Amino acid sequence: MIAALVGYLGDFDLAEEAAQDAFAAAAERWPRDGAPASPRAWLVTTARNRAIDRIRRDRTLAAKLRMLDSPKSAEDDSVESTFPDERLELIFTCCHPALALEAQVALTLRALGGLSTEEIARAFLVPASTMKRRLSRAKRKIRDAGIPFAVPAEHLLPERLAAVLAVVYLIFNAGYGGRVDLAAEAIWLGRALAELMPDEPEVHGLYALMLLNDARRDARIEEGELVLLADQDRSRWDAGETARGREALEHALALGGRGPYVIQAAIASVHMAEPRDWRQIAALYDELVRLTDSYVVALNRAIAVGEADGIEAGLALVDQLDRAGYQYFHSTRADFLRRLGRADEARVEYERALALTHTEYERRFLQRRAAEASR
Amino acid sequence: MKYMLLIHSGRAIRDQFNKLSEVEQKQLLDEYFAISQEPGVLDGNQLHLDDTATTVRVQDGRTLTTDGPFIEMKEALGGYLLYEADNLDAAIELAARIPAARMGGAIEVRPVVER
């Protein structure tokens, strides 16, 4: 029987495995259904079929694992890639929650972004050998643990889509200062997702949010100093990106989107309008606080309320959010106190914020503000 | 693929269970029974608490036995299921239905090496 199978399959190992499969099937079925009229023929046929299944499975698996290595071609600027049909499956595999977040990010950049292992390593400031190990371990887990190569079932989709969007947004936010333009990669991924999942408002919301933030990139730093939105040179905003961002936001809202990314994009969009409608911004933050229950969001809401209803009202909210030791709590409080003319208290808060900051831009910015408070 | 679902459910969960009313206890046991009857569940058993464990090592040909589990854990291995499933997602879904997972325990899902 093995010989017959080796002849047919041309592979001894495979033939042996197939024969074992067939015997196992026989052991399960014959006692239940009775032995077939010609047991040998039954075994050979069953073994052949099992072998074909095995070959198919191995082939698709190998092909899929290869896809994790095949980057989009460098000159290919459009979203059309070498594997137009399975990019969505690929991104859900890369962003599977059974993989460590850092591995999800690296795999996504490697498989969909087409970055080299060295580029990814550089962007996240780890040695290339570390990144290589991280990627191979993730690929091995995908294979050995049976992480599916598929778009998740309907009931799992909201949670799994949120994980994908979080990875893309993390890539976007990691984009400052690195030698690799991760922000552009993230926007590219966002656009691909928007094309692949046209009915998901949050996908368009994230795409819009990234475009609107990226549009202001050049105006954010001037002569090495951080520039607040109100003081930014609007002519340096990227008009094309702004328009595309607003368009994506409109689209998300038309789909009935009210999720966290859509609301954040809406906030960014209102911020960029002139004059700024602080009351609307505060209302949007209200909604975002309800959705995310995030401290930072609550702090931003207090800032918006301070602008809409007066600094006193904003400061009262900040005081309720008391979190000593958190840099932005101190800097927000400092700013309100400075504007209320309570210079001494403001200086103390600026000092506290300064002691907590890690970036040079922020340090210089806070020092300037602290000096202004003293005048 | 085959997955081994290692159910970390030890003394603390046992104590929790003992404090429940008879009706609630029956509900939990029914849940475990329903899971054991799922298609694809090939085998599964509850283990006695880890103070009944014996750990065996062989050194220089000598068998050394010690009283107690290999690793002391807050929620030690309390049972297992062997599950044949299409992929990890299916295994995770079954794992999430195991009551110990929501009672402070955890389920470790391990793919079985197939030869």
Side-chain angles (χ1 to χ4, degrees):
Chain A
M1 176 182 158
I2 296 277
L5 286 168
V6 174
Y8 175 68
L9 298 165
D11 181 331
F12 195 86
D13 287 344
L14 190 62
E16 271 197 325
E17 281 176 8
Q20 269 173 19
D21 282 354
F23 279 118
E28 187 189 313
R29 250 178 245 164
W30 293 2
R32 192 180 66 209
D33 304 333
S38 167
R40 189 178 176 280
W42 188 94
L43 282 170
V44 172
T45 313
T46 306
R48 269 186 198 174
N49 292 341
R50 294 290 163 111
I52 289 164
D53 282 349
R54 255 179 208 273
I55 294 170
R56 270 200 202 120
R57 201 174 62 201
D58 289 351
R59 241 184 230 151
T60 40
L61 183 66
K64 282 164 185 176
L65 287 169
R66 259 200 312 280
M67 279 173 68
L68 293 173
D69 278 326
S70 62
K72 71 173 194 268
S73 58
E75 68 277 11
D76 184 10
D77 195 36
S78 78
V79 173
E80 244 85 65
S81 79
T82 40
F83 36 87
D85 296 328
E86 291 193 299
R87 273 176 304 156
L88 201 53
E89 287 84 347
L90 190 58
I91 197 166
F92 275 107
T93 305
C94 291
C95 299
H96 197 282
L99 298 167
L101 184 60
E102 54 190 18
Q104 295 177 30
V105 168
L107 269 180
T108 303
L109 284 170
R110 181 81 191 89
L112 284 123
L115 265 60
S116 72
T117 305
E118 290 72 25
E119 283 174 312
I120 303 168
R122 212 158 42 210
F124 290 96
L125 307 173
V126 300
S129 55
T130 306
M131 188 52 75
K132 201 170 164 212
R133 266 198 310 278
R134 191 179 291 175
L135 281 164
S136 13
R137 186 182 165 268
K139 276 186 268 183
R140 206 172 57 233
K141 179 161 184 189
I142 290 173
R143 188 192 60 214
D144 293 345
I147 289 179
F149 188 82
V151 176
E154 193 79 27
H155 66 289
L156 297 174
L157 195 60
E159 211 172 303
R160 295 285 308 280
L161 180 59
V164 168
L165 298 179
V167 165
V168 174
Y169 197 39
L170 196 150
I171 292 171
F172 180 79
N173 284 317
Y176 296 109
R179 282 165 72 190
V180 178
D181 192 353
L182 290 179
E185 282 300 329
I187 289 173
W188 186 89
L189 286 167
R191 181 171 140 208
L193 274 176
E195 287 188 14
L196 293 165
M197 307 187 83
D199 301 329
E200 292 288 343
E202 279 290 88
V203 171
H204 296 282
L206 174 62
Y207 183 46
L209 175 63
M210 294 191 294
L211 285 169
L212 292 172
N213 282 344
D214 199 59
R216 302 195 307 269
R217 176 155 53 158
D218 290 343
R220 205 172 280 142
I221 307 288
E222 228 166 85
E223 290 163 19
E225 301 295 335
L226 199 62
V227 185
L228 288 190
L229 195 142
D231 305 323
Q232 284 172 11
D233 176 359
R234 284 164 177 262
S235 71
R236 296 184 66 194
W237 291 357
D238 185 322
E241 271 197 320
T242 309
R244 282 201 301 283
R246 290 222 159 100
E247 196 185 323
L249 173 60
E250 289 304 321
H251 193 64
L253 291 169
L255 287 168
R258 265 333 214 183
Y261 290 111
V262 175
I263 293 179
Q264 286 178 81
I267 291 171
S269 174
V270 183
H271 265 305
M272 291 170 78
E274 214 172 20
R276 274 195 271 184
D277 183 346
W278 282 105
R279 206 162 291 277
Q280 201 187 346
I281 293 173
L284 287 165
Y285 269 121
D286 260 354
E287 220 167 315
L288 201 54
V289 168
R290 268 200 301 279
L291 283 173
T292 63
D293 197 29
S294 139
Y295 180 82
V296 180
V297 171
L299 205 53
N300 279 313
R301 175 173 164 266
I303 295 172
V305 169
E307 300 292 341
D309 300 337
I311 298 170
E312 305 271 2
L315 182 60
L317 280 178
V318 173
D319 285 343
Q320 281 171 28
L321 292 167
D322 186 12
R323 187 177 284 185
Y326 181 66
Q327 181 192 334
Y328 298 106
F329 165 72
H330 294 296
S331 59
T332 306
R333 196 152 186 278
D335 202 54
F336 280 144
L337 290 167
R338 174 181 61 83
R339 292 165 64 187
L340 286 168
R342 290 156 67 175
D344 291 342
E345 290 166 89
R347 247 195 322 275
V348 172
E349 290 291 3
Y350 278 122
E351 289 302 328
R352 286 185 183 142
L354 267 167
L356 294 162
T357 183
H358 293 292
T359 79
E360 190 56 23
Y361 290 135
E362 285 181 344
R363 200 174 60 76
R364 284 206 299 273
F365 177 80
L366 290 167
Q367 279 170 342
R368 279 206 308 279
R369 279 291 154 91
E372 280 169 38
S374 307
R375 255 179 242 144
Chain B
M1 290 195 51
K2 283 198 192 79
Y3 295 91
M4 183 64 116
L5 277 54
L6 302 165
I7 304 170
H8 287 274
S9 172
R11 194 172 300 276
I13 289 176
R14 167 77 63 95
D15 291 347
Q16 256 188 73
F17 180 84
N18 287 338
K19 281 183 203 136
L20 296 175
S21 73
E22 225 168 282
V23 178
E24 288 167 325
Q25 286 186 349
K26 187 176 176 307
Q27 272 169 3
L28 278 179
L29 294 176
D30 285 349
E31 276 185 67
Y32 274 107
F33 181 74
I35 288 167
S36 75
Q37 297 302 302
E38 278 292 318
V41 173
L42 307 176
D43 190 13
N45 280 296
Q46 185 185 2
L47 305 178
H48 282 289
L49 285 179
D50 65 347
D51 58 5
T52 63
T54 307
T55 300
V56 179
R57 291 178 181 80
V58 177
Q59 265 169 19
D60 304 325
R62 277 199 320 135
T63 302
L64 303 174
T65 58
T66 43
D67 178 27
F70 177 48
I71 302 173
E72 293 278 358
M73 285 187 269
K74 189 167 151 277
E75 293 299 343
L77 192 61
Y80 65 89
L81 288 172
L82 188 61
Y83 185 40
E84 170 97 52
D86 284 346
N87 55 46
L88 185 63
D89 279 355
I92 291 173
E93 275 196 65
L94 189 75
R97 285 176 49 198
I98 298 174
R102 59 166 193 267
M103 294 171 76
I107 318 299
E108 183 174 324
V109 179
R110 295 280 294 271
V112 173
V113 175
E114 308 213 31
R115 294 186 200 280

